[in-house]
Amino acid sequence: MTVHSETGARYAEPDDRYGRAHPQRTGDARVIPLTRALDAAPVVAPERPVPPPAAPTPPRTMAALREQRRDERARIVSGDADAVRRQHAQGKRTARERLEALLDPDSFVELEPYRRHQAAAAGLAHRRPATDGVVTGSGTVDGRRVFVYAQDFTLFGGSLGQAHAAKIHKVMDLAIATGSPIIALNDSGGARIQEGVLALDGYGGIFRRQVEASGVVPQISVVLGPCAGGAAYSPALADFTFMVRDTARMYLTGPDVVEAVTGRRVGHEELGGADVHGTSSGVATVVHDDEESCLEDVRHLISLLPSNYLDVPPDSGSVGAEHDRSERFADIVPVEPNRPYDMREVFAELADDGDFFEVHEGWAGNVLCALARVDGRVVGLVGNQPVVMAGVLDGPASQKAARFVRFCDAFGIPLVTLVDVPGFLPGVEQEHSGIIRHGAQLLHAYCDATVPRVQVVLRKAYGGAYIVMDSRSIGCDVSLAWPTNQIAVMGAEGAVNVLHRRELAASADPAATRRDLVAAYEAEYLDPYYAAERGLVDDVIDPAETRSAVARALAMLQDKRKPGPSRKHGNPPT
């Protein structure tokens, strides 16, 4: 018997060995044990259906888990069949097909293929495909390590959300940490609207990393579909941007916004197609007709670039260029200073096997920029183009050459500058559009460059344009000139007009007087040995020896070490 400590009530102890009985309050007479009371009460059991026996759970085996993993991976790799068909119908490959074309066979190592977004707005909680619309990882190109990401337009239109951006951030961080090039395959509708500011934050992280990687590892952006809004800044920040006609388009504001704001109707191709950026804006470095040739050209470009700023450019070995002789140089370039010729032919004659990789071919054609090999060494070629605007320098040409010079200097690629320039383009429009600033960009780029620099003056080299085309005065290491060179403040005709205006006006025979004065000016100031006699040209060479002379100069300068001044960074004109 138990007595409650506060009420004094008495309870019987349970009398079964399991202790399941509840205590029973007792009266004055006797205590009835709970177990006995329950035994006396009638028991009515409810009728319940008897469930069938559960099927036994199959045991977890390694074979079953491996099969499950293979099935899931195959589903991720194959993608949605209908979406893939739509992608192909637009003339575009899928992200994985593009990576297969770009990288060496069986070299791709994918990162985070199971990554999914964590957003729930606007129905996203019920649609969470693996990869989140971007395939990321690393592979090799001709055996050399690169990091890549390929946006997958078949999932969310390739739009960028938080998880999508985080995958890109990871491969960029790894590329910088390992000193490997970054290749971006862009095919995206832009920021994922449902993820709002998180998508914008993701883009900011990409841009910040691109700036951190600038001059550290080469960055190549390939636009193979839409690249709209803030996404367009990524190709603009890259070192090289490839675009494919008819499928690639890039703009900050689309046709609908342009029409709403300006009232002008414009199509996607007219607003931001490959040819627009290849010829007008200068954003596209290279334009191709199809994805296959585009990706093959990216592979070719990688073969010419060092993996990072600490590596030397890949050397294919000497081919005996130091002893080469080519009479074709003299056949290409006319003696007459005003007769045009194609500087590309000079590039081809100078480069090993006549092969060079030209950048911005369709933009600012009055100056040419290309990567090539001379006796196995990778060099950057810069040359005036006499068949376009007589080879004068203007704003776009100065910007084009300046950025190329800066890229070559950042990655230790020697510069060879082929000069045939009549000056800067005169005119009110040029002055108002900032030709002084743009010319100063090129001047700043050459002055800042510490790589080996070789100048070859073929014909004209007049005024300020001569100075900015890597003259001895701004730091050229070796200056060579052909016997056709004319280095002066200006051409003979212009100089006579300035110096002898009154004499010409008073002459009884102005034409004859002009001829005599021009001949006298040329004899005194445009003599091919005038600059060499004053130490501004190292040698006047036979045009047939151009390739061998350049090869010898590069060999002489290959161990050049010139540290820059101690400072945080320069402030080049814009």
Side-chain angles (χ1 to χ4, degrees), residues 19-306:
R20 291 174 296 184
H22 295 287
Q24 301 292 316
R25 201 173 75 174
T26 63
D28 293 338
R30 62 190 179 88
V31 176
I32 303 174
L34 176 61
T35 55
R36 205 177 308 162
L38 291 173
D39 290 342
V43 178
V44 179
E47 294 184 3
R48 296 179 181 175
V50 179
T57 304
R60 285 166 55 89
T61 66
M62 180 60 74
L65 292 173
R66 292 174 67 189
E67 183 178 3
Q68 180 184 5
R69 181 258 176 200
R70 284 195 298 267
D71 292 344
E72 176 66 11
R73 192 55 170 267
R75 186 183 64 80
I76 293 172
V77 171
S78 61
D80 181 87
D82 290 336
V84 170
R85 279 194 292 270
R86 289 193 296 270
Q87 182 84 344
H88 289 165
Q90 296 176 30
K92 301 195 297 182
R93 300 184 181 197
T94 65
R96 295 182 186 278
E97 289 169 343
R98 289 162 175 166
L99 290 173
E100 184 178 355
L102 173 66
L103 302 173
D104 295 338
D106 299 322
S107 70
F108 182 54
V109 178
E110 186 170 356
L111 299 173
E112 300 188 356
Y114 303 103
R115 187 76 177 256
R116 303 174 191 267
H117 71 74
Q118 305 302 313
L124 284 181
H126 305 291
R127 190 183 176 206
R128 299 176 59 239
T131 74
D132 202 48
V134 63
V135 182
T136 60
S138 176
T140 60
V141 174
D142 291 332
R144 297 175 58 211
R145 176 66 52 194
V146 298
F147 282 81
V148 295
Y149 66 86
Q151 293 178 312
D152 186 354
F153 196 79
T154 68
L155 294 177
F156 299 121
S159 61
L160 182 140
Q162 187 178 37
H164 183 122
K167 293 179 65 176
I168 296 175
H169 297 167
K170 181 179 179 66
V171 295
M172 296 183 75
D173 289 340
L174 289 174
I176 296 170
T178 61
S180 306
I182 302 169
I183 305 175
L185 306 183
N186 298 275
D187 189 0
S188 169
R192 193 173 299 166
I193 298 173
Q194 299 95 320
E195 297 199 35
V197 69
L198 294 177
L200 301 179
D201 180 70
Y203 273 126
I206 293 172
F207 303 154
R208 175 170 59 81
R209 285 168 174 82
Q210 283 190 267
V211 174
E212 289 176 359
S214 180
V216 178
V217 296
Q219 300 180 66
I220 300 172
S221 184
V222 188
V223 184
L224 300 165
C227 186
Y233 285 117
S234 186
L237 287 169
D239 297 310
F240 299 89
T241 299
F242 292 72
M243 293 186 73
V244 175
R245 289 186 177 91
D246 300 327
T247 57
R249 59 183 72 108
M250 182 166 46
Y251 36 64
L252 291 179
T253 54
D256 293 340
V257 176
V258 171
E259 182 178 1
V261 174
T262 68
R264 178 183 174 183
R265 289 189 178 183
V266 62
H268 292 284
E269 197 68 22
E270 181 186 356
L271 181 62
D275 285 322
V276 169
H277 291 300
T279 61
S280 298
S281 73
V283 176
T285 314
V286 184
V287 174
H288 281 276
D289 290 327
D290 55 75
E291 291 191 13
E292 182 179 7
S293 62
C294 179
L295 295 174
E296 185 60 36
D297 221 19
V298 173
R299 289 177 60 88
H300 178 43
L301 174 60
I302 288 291
S303 73
L304 295 168
L305 302 179

Side-chain angles (χ1 to χ4, degrees), residues 397-445:
S398 299
Q399 291 177 306
K400 170 180 170 177
R403 190 155 196 262
F404 182 74
V405 167
R406 292 183 66 83
F407 172 82
C408 291
D409 185 55
F411 290 99
I413 299 174
L415 289 160
V416 177
T417 304
L418 303 168
V419 184
D420 191 349
V421 60
F424 281 95
L425 182 63
V428 174
E429 182 180 349
Q430 283 294 311
E431 297 293 345
H432 289 186
S433 65
I435 193 171
I436 297 173
R437 288 187 297 106
H438 299 149
Q441 286 180 347
L442 182 54
L443 181 62
H444 190 285

Side-chain angles (χ1 to χ4, degrees), residues 382-565:
V382 181
N384 308 107
Q385 174 58 296
V387 296
V388 179
M389 300 167 58
V392 297
L393 289 176
D394 61 355
S398 299
Q399 291 177 306
K400 170 180 170 177
R403 190 155 196 262
F404 182 74
V405 167
R406 292 183 66 83
F407 172 82
C408 291
D409 185 55
F411 290 99
I413 299 174
L415 289 160
V416 177
T417 304
L418 303 168
V419 184
D420 191 349
V421 60
F424 281 95
L425 182 63
V428 174
E429 182 180 349
Q430 283 294 311
E431 297 293 345
H432 289 186
S433 65
I435 193 171
I436 297 173
R437 288 187 297 106
H438 299 149
Q441 286 180 347
L442 182 54
L443 181 62
H444 190 285
Y446 269 122
C447 289
D448 207 34
T450 60
V451 293
R453 292 154 55 185
V454 178
Q455 179 199 47
V456 183
V457 181
L458 308 186
R459 294 193 310 185
K460 305 176 298 297
Y462 295 156
Y466 156 70
I467 298 173
V468 305
M469 288 297 292
D470 204 18
S471 64
R472 170 65 67 78
S473 60
I474 64 172
C476 167
D477 296 302
V478 175
S479 179
L480 306 172
W482 285 11
T484 48
N485 83 83
Q486 295 183 346
I487 304 174
V489 174
M490 63 178 65
E493 293 282 351
V496 166
N497 288 339
V498 172
L499 296 174
H500 304 284
R501 183 182 299 108
R502 293 181 180 178
E503 186 176 349
L504 289 171
S507 173
D509 188 353
T513 302
R514 178 185 296 277
R515 282 194 301 270
D516 294 341
L517 292 173
V518 165
Y521 183 90
E522 289 178 344
E524 183 172 359
Y525 296 105
L526 300 184
D527 180 271
Y529 299 93
Y530 185 91
E533 291 171 0
R534 289 155 179 79
L536 301 178
V537 167
D538 289 289
D539 195 7
V540 178
I541 63 173
D542 184 338
E545 298 175 353
T546 301
R547 178 168 154 83
S548 60
V550 169
R552 287 194 296 268
L554 292 172
M556 179 175 65
L557 298 169
Q558 66 177 344
D559 294 324
K560 176 186 175 183
R561 298 290 183 271
K562 182 182 178 183

